[in-house]
Amino acid sequence: MHDQFHTIVIGAGSGGLTVAVGLSSLGKSVAVLEALHVGGDCTNVGCVPSKTLIHQADVRGMLDPEGVLAEVRRKRDALREKETHEFGALPNLSLIFGRARLVSRTQVAVTLPEGGERVLTAENIVLATGARPRTLVIPGLPEQRMLTNETVFELPVVPHHLAIIGGGVIGVELAFAFRKLGSRVTMLDSSPRLLTRHLSEAAEAIEASLVAKGAALHFKTSVQGYDEATQALQIERNGTAATLHDVDYVLVAVGRQRNLDGLGLEEVGVTFDLRNGIATDSYGRTNVPGIYAIGDVTTTSAFTHSANAQGRRVVQRIAFPWLPATIPEPFYPSATFADPEVATAGMSQRDLAARYHPALIKRIRVDLVTQTDRGYTDDLQHGFIIVDAMRLTGKILSVTIVGPRASEMISLFTLAMQEGISLYRLYRVVYPYPTFSSGIQKVADAFMRETLPKLRGELVTYLRYRWARPARVAEITYSPRSSVQRPVPRGE
């Protein structure tokens, strides 16, 4: 069978569906090819079930843990069925189930579930096949006792003792949720702390909260094996052997692996590598004309919302090719739905150090616990906003928020960075009282207090270091509650 479409989208996750719905609503004929379920990771094994679990754990806790797990599956399945029906009924959109591979610049072959193959042709092809969890080989651990984010939501009962390998976002979120459901939780990571992509202050707050809730944390730790007869997990911590007893499930959360195998990228000549994914420009274009890539398979996206944003840019490029394609890809905020939440936006500390001299950066920290009345009224235990801004100009470079609804608060900073809104302009924004977001106003207040009285000195420092090369032998360290920074020799 041979079919002609305007655009073929491989993958019915967040990014792929964004492209498909956007183009089909503009009258373009679109084929969406999906190997498993509509909704991708987000609907089926990611955002939707995990946030349902977090919410239900907060509401029902240990009162009905099995009921919580059943509700997670019910809501996930209901949403999947709803999305499958709605997207399958859209005009100009053909939803086709099967495994796809590129056979030329304009052709895709689909192996159908019922057998046989269908060849589709289109002038545009969008690759949106997502990623899957990395796994580990743990000697002696039966397959049924190893979990990933793809299998953990299928548990009929909560674990008695859940060992989580990996201290990233997935591991942290599920540690809080299962602890609230009554599971004994032990987190293991080879790094010296949790959330290594975040500021150490954020990791410290999350670690303290986990410990307060009864979770055990082991860093610089590796897993050596498992004894099924005794349900004992053997580990090595700082070079010393130890045993975790009564471990009935092990959750592996050690990263993601892009779904690139079997796509036919080599045959068509699409540039990619397994470590960094498919190379694209800021509008999703690969090196092969007419072939685009978005979402987890690219080098710049690791979130549902970033895949969605990339999908919107691809729709613009395909449907309106005469529009200028010069706007760089935006900063993508991130959110960890822990307790408290952690949200970030802007440049990483490594990128800041590579681009700017440390003397040019001013760090401001506002403690939501002690410096906001909402922190007082709500008995907040952990919470702060840290902003790295350019000296004198108030240009916002990087933001970390730890606290309730940090995921909601970060969007103002994301807008500010994207639109060049400085701390001077944020100073004029009025916030409802009492709210945690008033901490943003206090950040702007602190910047003004530290800049305006010393304007001459700030100008001199700015002019001296604005175009200076970043210090190669120094990195910035900051006082935890101050905007004062100093260069420190590496190794101190």
Side-chain angles (χ1 to χ4, degrees):
M1 188 178 296
H2 203 86
D3 293 294
Q4 177 76 41
F5 294 90
H6 177 272
T7 298
I8 296 170
V9 179
I10 304 177
S14 171
L17 289 176
T18 298
V19 174
V21 172
L23 291 176
S24 64
S25 66
L26 294 172
K28 312 297 184 182
S29 61
V30 181
V32 180
L33 313 180
E34 173 54 50
L36 192 57
H37 296 304
V38 168
D41 269 18
C42 182
T43 295
N44 297 285
V45 296
C47 314
V48 171
S50 66
K51 276 54 190 179
T52 303
L53 176 65
I54 290 169
H55 171 68
Q56 291 292 326
D58 283 334
V59 173
R60 299 159 72 174
M62 302 180 193
L63 297 176
D64 183 18
E66 281 69 43
V68 167
L69 296 177
E71 178 67 2
V72 169
R73 289 188 292 275
R74 186 196 69 78
K75 295 196 76 170
R76 175 203 61 190
D77 294 348
L79 182 60
R80 176 200 298 163
E81 292 176 10
K82 177 175 179 289
E83 290 180 338
T84 302
H85 172 74
E86 289 180 347
F87 291 121
L90 289 176
N92 306 314
L93 191 153
S94 297
L95 181 58
I96 303 169
F97 287 95
R99 190 161 295 278
R101 76 180 189 282
L102 300 170
V103 293
S104 75
R105 191 194 69 76
T106 59
Q107 289 186 315
V108 176
V110 188
T111 302
L112 303 173
E114 63 272 18
E117 189 173 84
R118 185 174 176 182
V119 177
L120 312 179
T121 301
E123 55 188 281
N124 305 291
I125 298 173
V126 180
L127 308 174
T129 52
R132 61 187 184 273
R134 294 186 183 277
T135 57
L136 294 176
V137 176
I138 301 176
L141 182 69
E143 182 180 353
Q144 66 270 19
R145 294 199 183 277
M146 178 181 285
L147 303 171
T148 68
N149 71 290
E150 290 186 343
T151 59
V152 67
F153 304 111
E154 305 305 322
L155 286 173
V157 298
V158 299
H160 168 69
H161 184 183
L162 177 64
I164 300 177
I165 304 174
V169 172
I170 293 174
V172 164
E173 290 186 352
L174 293 178
F176 277 103
F178 278 100
R179 186 71 197 99
K180 291 175 182 178
L181 292 178
S183 295
R184 179 183 170 192
V185 173
T186 301
M187 296 197 72
L188 313 167
D189 199 287
S190 59
S191 301
R193 64 177 176 89
L194 299 177
L195 300 176
T196 54
R197 295 178 181 271
H198 294 66
L199 294 180
S200 59
E201 293 92 335
E204 290 166 4
I206 294 301
E207 290 166 13
S209 182
L210 278 168
V211 170
K213 287 174 171 55
L217 310 180
H218 298 291
F219 300 119
K220 298 182 179 179
T221 300
S222 61
V223 175
Q224 302 300 307
Y226 183 83
D227 185 342
E228 170 66 6
T230 61
Q231 292 190 357
L233 188 67
Q234 288 88 36
I235 64 174
E236 184 178 288
R237 187 173 62 238
N238 290 320
T240 303
T243 301
L244 300 179
H245 298 284
D246 302 319
V247 176
D248 50 345
Y249 286 100
V250 177
L251 172 66
V252 177
V254 292
R256 308 277 294 163
Q257 182 176 340
R258 294 176 176 88
N259 292 326
L260 298 174
D261 45 308
L263 273 179
L265 301 177
E266 300 94 333
E267 291 83 345
V268 179
V270 173
T271 300
F272 77 100
D273 66 71
L274 294 179
R275 177 179 177 83
N276 298 309
I278 300 174
T280 67
D281 68 4
S282 63
Y283 282 82
R285 293 175 291 194
T286 70
N287 64 301
V288 178
I291 297 182
Y292 300 77
I294 57 175
D296 290 351
V297 294
T298 69
T299 62
T300 58
S301 174
F303 314 112
T304 295
H305 51 275
S306 56
N308 179 280
Q310 289 180 328
R312 292 169 182 268
R313 293 167 71 86
V314 167
V315 169
Q316 174 187 323
R317 188 90 297 261
I318 292 176
F320 309 105
W322 41 267
L323 287 176
T326 57
I327 300 175
E329 200 166 352
F331 286 120
Y332 298 127
S334 72
T336 302
F337 295 88
D339 188 5
E341 292 182 356
V342 180
T344 66
M347 301 175 69
S348 68
Q349 295 301 299
R350 177 178 297 180
D351 290 341
L352 277 175
R355 184 167 180 178
Y356 299 113
H357 192 283
L360 192 63
I361 301 172
K362 182 184 291 289
R363 170 164 289 185
I364 297 171
R365 170 170 173 154
V366 168
D367 196 320
L368 299 176
V369 177
T370 60
Q371 293 179 259
T372 66
D373 287 349
R374 187 60 182 271
Y376 175 77
T377 62
D378 288 20
D379 296 321
L380 192 64
Q381 300 299 309
H382 305 284
F384 57 81
I385 302 174
I386 290 179
V387 174
D388 289 328
M390 188 175 294
R391 187 178 295 276
L392 182 68
T393 69
K395 177 183 178 181
I396 301 168
L397 304 172
S398 176
V399 180
T400 294
I401 304 177
V402 174
R405 303 296 180 186
S407 58
E408 308 289 348
M409 294 168 61
I410 198 68
S411 295
L412 179 59
F413 283 113
T414 305
L415 174 67
M417 284 183 280
Q418 182 172 316
E419 300 300 323
I421 299 171
S422 71
L423 288 174
Y424 291 104
R425 292 175 65 188
L426 286 186
Y427 176 79
R428 300 195 294 268
V429 176
V430 179
Y431 302 85
Y433 175 89
T435 59
F436 291 116
S437 62
S438 66
I440 300 173
Q441 186 176 52
K442 292 183 180 295
V443 168
D445 289 346
F447 176 80
M448 300 289 273
R449 285 196 305 269
E450 296 182 18
T451 300
L452 295 184
K454 301 176 289 185
L455 201 55
R456 181 184 178 88
E458 294 289 302
L459 177 60
V460 170
T461 302
Y462 176 83
L463 294 175
R464 180 179 179 184
Y465 293 107
R466 177 61 184 91
W467 294 276
R469 297 182 62 184
R472 290 187 175 183
V473 296
E475 58 187 20
I476 303 171
T477 62
Y478 303 94
S479 171
R481 298 181 183 274
S482 167
S483 62
V484 178
Q485 63 269 336
R486 62 188 178 94
V488 179
R490 294 189 184 276
E492 177 176 325

